[in-house]
Each structure stands twice: as C-alpha cells, then as structure tokens.
Amino acid sequence: MKAETINFDQEPVGSLPAGWKAGVTGRGSPQWATEADATAPSPPNVLKQSGSGTFPWCVKSDVSIADGSVEVKFKPISGREDAAGGVVWRWKNGDNYYVARANALENNVSLYYTQNGRRNTIKYVDAPVARNQWHSLKVEFAGKGIRVALDGKLYIELADDHIRGAGAVGVWTKADSVTVFDDFSYSSGPGR
C-alpha cells in the first residue's frame, strides 16, 4: 500500500476529522479539533490538542495496520508539565498500543508500549526538540522491529513484541501539552 497522507485541510474547523476518534488513557479532558494555522506545513489547517489529560490520543479508527509506517509533522506549543507530540500504532483501544514521542521540555525521543492502561518505557534517547517549531516524527514497524526517527534522523532501532497484530494509527500527547499536528501519513506492508 502506498502512503496515505491526511493534512486536515478538508475538515471543518472546530471539529474532529472524519474517521477519527479521540480519547484519553487515564483521565482528563483532552480537546482535539481541526484549527486554522498559518504556520502549517500544508496550510491552512492542523489538528490541535488543547485540553489536558494523562495521555490524550486521537486515532484514525478505520485503519488497521500490523506492519508499516506512521509519520506526522508536529509543533509543541506549550505545556508546563509536558510539551510533547507523538504517534501511536497497533492501537487496539485506549489502553493498549505503542507510542513514540518527542518532548520539548526534556529534549528527547522515547518509545513506550501501553498495556492495560499502563505506559511502560522501552527506551529514551536525547534529541533536540524545540518549542514552537515544526518537527517530523516517523516510526517504521515490522514484526518485532521498530525504528523511530525525528526530523529525518534515526534515534531508536530495536526489537519489541509487547503489542502484536494489526491496530489503528494516530497521534498522541501528554498531560498539559498544547500541540498541533499536520501531514499525518501512514502505510502498511514492509518498507523502508
């Protein structure tokens, strides 16, 4: 399958994109909506999370991929507890999925699996993540293999099989992160 890219530009401002569903792992009140943003890599719209919750997520629920890739452009705007943007894959439900994220407060990229609502750290790697700047985060996954790249540079490459089989793909934030996302793309099948 060739990559599908969603730029949120056809979506009505103020609503969740069609075919997407949002929620939170843990508790809180995330606020996901399409919004106009003149700085968007592909203007005029972005997907924005402006509420707060333990781990807010927004997934393309009509997609199911076991092996493939997911990539997004994101801009961490603010957050005192966290200023992060991430992608999820093999998402079964709000309590079971993989997540890779980049955090502007900690200047790192990390990989986790969430199982039964608990986030478990697989690996952290220091990486420059500037606030109020657009970054790209890409994950390639096939079998046990996982590769995580930020702004085109590979930071994490390892094997893990905590979450198996096909699942949805989407985006993710943490705590009080206000983050915008654009140019969300995904593909299935082995690839590099």
Side-chain angles (χ1 to χ4, degrees), residues 41-55:
S42 59
N45 293 348
V46 297
L47 177 63
K48 182 176 186 178
Q49 198 298 113
S50 57
S52 140
T54 313
F55 304 118

Side-chain angles (χ1 to χ4, degrees), residues 3 9 13 20 28 31 42 77 83 89 128 131 136 138 169 173 187:
D9 295 338
V13 169
W20 289 67
Q31 299 291 320
S42 59
I77 297 171
W89 69 98
R131 268 192 205 217
S136 70
K138 181 175 185 176
V169 293
T173 67
S187 64

Side-chain angles (χ1 to χ4, degrees), residues 30 49 51-56 79 81-83 172-178:
Q49 198 298 113
S52 140
T54 313
F55 304 118
E81 190 179 329
D82 221 69
W172 181 98
T173 67
K174 179 182 172 197
D176 61 346
S177 298
V178 175

Side-chain angles (χ1 to χ4, degrees), residues 21-32 49 52-59 81 87-99 112-120 163 170-176:
K21 103 182 182 180
V24 62
T25 304
R27 51 183 67 161
S29 307
Q31 299 291 320
W32 293 93
Q49 198 298 113
S52 140
T54 313
F55 304 118
W57 47 261
C58 190
V59 297
E81 190 179 329
V87 292
V88 299
W89 69 98
R90 292 185 186 158
W91 185 94
K92 315 293 187 188
N93 55 47
D95 289 333
N96 296 280
Y97 54 85
Y98 276 113
V99 60
Y112 308 95
Y113 69 95
T114 300
Q115 208 160 33
N116 301 322
R118 289 183 77 166
R119 187 183 71 163
N120 302 277
I163 310 288
V171 293
W172 181 98
T173 67
K174 179 182 172 197
D176 61 346

Side-chain angles (χ1 to χ4, degrees), residues 5-8 39-42 45-47 70-76 85-87 133-138 150-151 171 179-185:
T5 300
I6 300 163
N7 59 22
F8 309 109
T39 74
S42 59
N45 293 348
V46 297
L47 177 63
V70 61
E71 181 172 13
V72 74
K73 293 185 177 129
F74 73 98
K75 179 170 73 170
V87 292
Q133 284 186 25
W134 285 96
H135 301 278
S136 70
L137 184 63
K138 181 175 185 176
L150 175 70
D151 295 330
V171 293
T179 306
V180 290
F181 298 89
D182 199 8
D183 297 344
F184 178 83
S185 67

